[in-house]
Amino acid sequence: MRFTMRGIAVAALAAVGVAALVVGGNVVLGQGRTVIGFQASETSPLEPGWRWETHQIVQVQVPDSWKRSVGVGLKSSCGLDTVEPNPIVRRPGGAVVKSLHVCPTPKPKQRHVSPSLEFAGDRPGIVRYADGWTKETRRFGPQLITVTSADDALRARIFATAAVIIVADGNGCEPASPIARNEILRPPAQGGLTTVGAVESVGVCRYEHPRGTPPRSDGAPYELALQASSRLTGDVARQLVRDLVAAPPGTGPTVTDQRVCADDPGGEIIILRVEGSEHDQDVIYRYAGCKHNGTDDGATLRRATSATAKVVFAGVHQPDGYGNVLTQLLIGRPGPVL
């Protein structure tokens, strides 16, 4: 069955109960409301100059100029909310470094500079800051989303695009893919990359961490959760597919010391959803294991290369840490594993 990024069904099943309004440190109860979600036959139209951001089973739109990073729920050393220097989207991941120093008493007034969105939050609610900014948290399915902004209209506009993903997100990525698992599976062979025709776009879907219930203790394979997605178009998408096809056949790279190789394929995977004029093709991009790294379009196994990795692991997919294989692909060959 042909998948298409032009008409993907989603539904927003969001009901948010805002339990309290915090104004100047005083909690005012009874400010409850419900946000009614939408249900549409197609993905909510992408606003001009905006992009999709996805984490697990929820997607939302933000202005395309906003930066991306990890480390949600950041707090300053003195317990104040972090003041962002630039508009940013934060998602879970990365390490937070804390330093010890004497905090002023009373706490200084916060002066916000730039808006932000986080795929996290303490609980649904609204915080009004003394400088006129507002932090609002809403629940969409199991996911909390927090937007901090001085512009009420911008905040409402962002929340209006948020939705629980039912089939696939605006970049064509499924929250649960049958081939995004911690085991060696091959994508359905629709003819492979050499027969897709003219490349129209490539959805880049990154899956990590167990999805749903924790993995069994006996080492049985488990589903991986969608962490982020993006979409490549134009010359970038066409060049990526050419580079994928041009990669040497086989598997690799492996870690720099063959003796440490194991059969575990690793708990991370990229699925590339190539949309072509003749047919569409899923491609699995493995990089977190040892023996089984490389790409698979259902017809041919090929090695992962620096040319393809530097396009795939960019933007929202830029690693916050580098394992042995990603170091080889993105930086250079590391020394042997001891």
Side-chain angles (χ1 to χ4, degrees), residues 186-304:
R186 304 198 69 181
Q190 310 291 339
L193 286 177
T194 59
T195 60
V196 298
V199 175
E200 299 172 7
S201 67
V202 179
V204 184
C205 317
R206 177 165 55 86
Y207 296 85
E208 298 179 11
H209 312 303
R211 182 178 186 271
T213 57
R216 288 166 27 188
S217 58
D218 61 2
Y222 52 86
E223 288 185 309
L224 300 176
L226 180 63
Q227 299 299 306
S229 73
S230 61
R231 186 182 181 189
L232 306 176
T233 59
D235 291 341
V236 174
R238 290 188 286 270
Q239 185 62 52
L240 172 60
V241 173
R242 287 194 292 267
D243 288 340
L244 288 168
V245 172
T251 58
T254 62
V255 298
T256 52
D257 189 332
Q258 297 283 344
R259 292 173 298 175
V260 303
C261 276
D263 288 331
D264 185 359
E268 303 176 25
I269 197 171
I270 294 276
I271 295 178
L272 304 174
R273 312 209 78 183
V274 179
E275 187 175 19
S277 60
E278 297 300 321
H279 68 84
D280 301 325
Q281 181 63 60
D282 280 347
V283 180
I284 296 177
Y285 200 116
R286 294 190 179 92
Y287 58 94
C290 185
K291 294 181 180 179
H292 305 289
N293 297 314
T295 71
D296 184 0
D297 65 359
T300 305
L301 296 174
R302 300 180 177 92
R303 290 177 60 88

Side-chain angles (χ1 to χ4, degrees), residues 318-333:
Q318 185 172 356
D320 58 352
Y322 292 83
N324 190 284
V325 172
L326 279 185
T327 298
Q328 294 181 62
L329 292 172
L330 300 175
I331 300 174
R333 189 172 177 83

Side-chain angles (χ1 to χ4, degrees), residues 141-152:
Q143 179 74 58
L144 292 175
I145 294 180
T146 299
V147 179
T148 302
S149 171
D151 185 342
D152 291 344

Side-chain angles (χ1 to χ4, degrees), residues 55-312:
H55 181 63
Q56 296 189 355
I57 67 168
V58 174
Q59 67 174 356
V60 64
Q61 294 180 28
V62 299
D64 198 42
S65 60
W66 286 29
K67 297 181 180 296
R68 299 177 170 112
S69 189
V70 294
V72 299
L74 295 176
K75 296 285 186 181
S76 70
S77 300
C78 296
L80 298 173
D81 289 336
T82 297
V83 175
E84 300 290 357
N86 300 292
I88 197 167
V89 176
R90 290 193 180 276
R91 51 178 29 85
V96 177
V97 178
K98 293 186 177 181
S99 60
L100 296 177
H101 65 275
V102 178
C103 296
T105 303
K107 292 180 180 179
K109 293 181 179 179
Q110 296 197 94
R111 298 295 180 186
H112 293 82
V113 179
S114 298
S116 65
L117 180 147
E118 292 187 334
F119 285 99
D122 296 326
R123 61 183 182 276
I126 297 176
V127 177
R128 304 283 189 191
Y129 293 101
D131 61 0
W133 284 61
T134 299
K135 180 173 74 172
E136 182 174 0
T137 301
R138 299 189 190 182
R139 182 180 298 280
F140 296 85
Q143 179 74 58
L144 292 175
I145 294 180
T146 299
V147 179
T148 302
S149 171
D151 185 342
D152 291 344
L154 172 64
R155 196 170 64 257
R157 186 178 176 187
I158 291 173
F159 277 125
T161 68
V164 174
I165 308 164
I166 301 302
V167 177
D169 71 3
N171 295 317
C173 297
E174 302 164 295
S177 170
I179 56 175
R181 293 178 56 83
N182 180 33
E183 62 180 316
I184 302 302
L185 298 172
R186 304 198 69 181
Q190 310 291 339
L193 286 177
T194 59
T195 60
V196 298
V199 175
E200 299 172 7
S201 67
V202 179
V204 184
C205 317
R206 177 165 55 86
Y207 296 85
E208 298 179 11
H209 312 303
R211 182 178 186 271
T213 57
R216 288 166 27 188
S217 58
D218 61 2
Y222 52 86
E223 288 185 309
L224 300 176
L226 180 63
Q227 299 299 306
S229 73
S230 61
R231 186 182 181 189
L232 306 176
T233 59
D235 291 341
V236 174
R238 290 188 286 270
Q239 185 62 52
L240 172 60
V241 173
R242 287 194 292 267
D243 288 340
L244 288 168
V245 172
T251 58
T254 62
V255 298
T256 52
D257 189 332
Q258 297 283 344
R259 292 173 298 175
V260 303
C261 276
D263 288 331
D264 185 359
E268 303 176 25
I269 197 171
I270 294 276
I271 295 178
L272 304 174
R273 312 209 78 183
V274 179
E275 187 175 19
S277 60
E278 297 300 321
H279 68 84
D280 301 325
Q281 181 63 60
D282 280 347
V283 180
I284 296 177
Y285 200 116
R286 294 190 179 92
Y287 58 94
C290 185
K291 294 181 180 179
H292 305 289
N293 297 314
T295 71
D296 184 0
D297 65 359
T300 305
L301 296 174
R302 300 180 177 92
R303 290 177 60 88
T305 63
S306 292
T308 58
K310 288 176 180 178
V311 176
V312 170

